[in-house]
Amino acid sequence: MRWMGWLIVLVGLGWSVHGGAQRLSEEQELEWARLIVGPEATEDECANCHTLEHEAWQTTRHYATFKDRHRSDEAKEILTNLGERSMKRISTCRQCHYTSRLDDEDRVRAAWGVSCESCHGAGRNWLEVHNRPGGDPNADAMEWGAGAQEAPEARAQRLAAAAAKGMAHPERLYDVAANCFGCHTVPDEHLVNVGKHHPGKPFDLVARSQGEVRHRFLHGTAAAKNPLPEAAELRRLYVVGAAVDLEFSLRNLSRASQAGGDYERAMIERVGAARAKLAAILDTVELPGLAAALGRVPAEVGAAVDPALADGLEEAARAFVEGNDGTALGALDALLPTEYVGTPYQPQ
């Protein structure tokens, strides 16, 4: 896909720099960095309104990686293997470990750890509409807090307007999951085969999203204490996470070019594990669309993988998000993880 077409798709879907299970070119990363607002508390940035979310982020590894990831022995070894010196200066590392911005000379530079826009999309285009009634950029910003109300139709219009400009709202479960797995499946063959970076560790979307990175704050309500989502929402997260894991692992495998390399072998193994997890879900509950997509994936995959298999899983996962609220999937509760990665932030 040519760059301009890729950008239109990226912004239209609300994907972040991490989305799509594929690294950006340097040109694409430069254009993406132009759209970054940043998480810190200034007039236009995220923490100006999302104070509790910003506090929660500062307790996470996502935040700390900017300060210490590059100092680890593992990072130094990988850089040596790649013939590089700085994680923050090379696109390969920046795109997953950091949020970048442009410096005064229009160069991409790592500026923060994994932050708001890493998951929810670069905000420059959607900032002006995501908190305006009905998504009208000319309307006054909404006042949040106790007693704040928004009609369902106006809310839907507002979220649609922001999504059209690139925001991955938390309700857009597929897009948010894609941003997670876009990094955690390590879509970079050279980084693994030559750099000896790990090829992606096991990643359960529920276990990861409900630990230290959880930030469910509805200001002025009982939900200001960062509660666990309802069971129905956890079920949806579990299903989407399994589907996207398999989808992105298939995409990675389909692009592997070194036969018998570490990356190809790891992706074959990852595809097998992800397929088994989704199959267990579909043995427990009936989800015909996902079952049909999974049925096209061989029980044992080899090096040659048709990219259409991943496309089918994406289509089915998106349809699941749109058409299933999770209330009828109670049988999945026995499969859900009960331990999460890290401790959720609790404001005082």
Side-chain angles (χ1 to χ4, degrees):
M1 182 181 295
R2 291 184 304 169
W3 159 237
M4 186 54 68
W6 177 92
L7 178 61
I8 292 171
V9 172
L10 180 71
V11 173
L13 293 178
W15 288 4
S16 83
V17 69
H18 302 159
Q22 189 170 7
R23 289 287 185 263
L24 306 185
S25 69
E26 291 186 7
E27 179 186 7
Q28 291 167 346
E29 189 189 16
L30 177 66
E31 292 305 311
W32 188 255
R34 294 187 195 282
L35 301 177
I36 293 292
V37 174
E40 302 299 342
T42 61
E43 181 179 356
D44 293 330
E45 297 177 336
C46 304
N48 192 49
C49 292
H50 297 285
T51 306
L52 293 178
E53 290 85 351
H54 186 261
E55 291 176 5
W57 171 60
Q58 290 179 310
T59 69
T60 68
R61 281 299 308 157
H62 279 169
Y63 173 82
T65 189
F66 184 80
K67 297 181 178 180
D68 61 22
R69 189 73 189 98
H70 56 292
R71 297 190 176 100
S72 70
D73 291 340
E74 180 186 15
K76 293 175 182 177
E77 181 178 349
I78 292 170
L79 286 169
T80 298
N81 293 337
L82 294 174
E84 300 285 354
R85 298 180 61 185
S86 171
M87 282 185 67
K88 296 180 180 180
R89 292 299 180 97
I90 62 171
S91 179
T92 297
C93 300
R94 280 197 308 259
Q95 289 186 32
C96 276
H97 288 288
Y98 305 110
T99 305
S100 298
R101 63 180 171 189
L102 300 184
D103 66 11
D104 293 338
E105 298 181 19
D106 213 34
R107 297 173 301 186
V108 179
R109 290 290 182 262
W112 306 276
V114 179
S115 66
C116 316
E117 291 162 286
S118 301
C119 301
H120 298 296
R124 188 70 60 195
N125 288 342
W126 51 260
L127 187 67
E128 64 178 358
V129 299
H130 89 289
N131 68 338
R132 308 281 172 164
D136 179 0
N138 297 315
D140 292 335
M142 300 176 64
E143 294 291 335
W144 297 105
Q149 295 182 346
E150 183 180 18
E153 182 178 349
R155 182 175 187 273
Q157 291 174 344
R158 177 172 61 82
L159 297 184
K165 290 180 174 290
M167 182 183 185
H169 187 272
E171 292 185 7
R172 296 173 65 86
L173 291 186
Y174 175 88
D175 295 332
V176 174
N179 288 335
C180 295
F181 286 98
C183 276
H184 285 279
T185 57
V186 190
D188 191 319
E189 184 178 21
H190 182 76
L191 181 61
V192 174
N193 288 349
V194 177
K196 302 306 177 184
H197 190 288
H198 68 75
K201 299 173 183 178
F203 187 96
D204 183 277
L205 189 59
V206 172
R208 291 281 186 158
S209 67
Q210 300 312 311
E212 67 176 18
V213 304
R214 190 166 83 212
H215 48 281
R216 299 182 66 245
F217 302 109
L218 300 178
H219 300 267
T221 73
K225 292 295 184 181
N226 201 15
L228 190 71
E230 297 292 335
E233 190 66 7
L234 294 177
R235 298 164 195 156
R236 296 175 79 225
L237 281 168
Y238 190 67
V239 173
V240 171
V244 176
D245 192 356
L246 179 55
E247 176 204 337
F248 277 39
S249 299
L250 284 166
R251 293 196 191 283
N252 291 347
L253 180 56
S254 72
R255 287 192 291 266
S257 60
Q258 182 179 335
D262 292 345
Y263 191 73
E264 182 184 85
R265 294 197 305 271
M267 287 305 120
I268 289 174
E269 182 178 345
R270 188 177 188 103
V271 166
R275 190 191 189 286
K277 182 175 181 177
L278 185 56
I281 289 172
L282 297 174
D283 284 342
T284 306
V285 294
E286 292 188 11
L287 297 170
L290 281 168
L294 181 66
R296 301 185 191 103
V297 180
E300 294 186 8
V301 299
V305 172
D306 184 354
L309 297 177
D311 294 340
L313 281 161
E314 177 184 349
E315 181 180 355
R318 287 185 179 279
F320 167 79
V321 170
E322 293 298 322
N324 198 307
D325 65 6
T327 55
L329 304 180
L332 289 179
D333 290 351
L335 302 181
L336 299 180
T338 55
E339 295 184 0
Y340 310 128
V341 180
T343 302
Y345 176 71
Q346 291 295 320
Q348 301 300 317

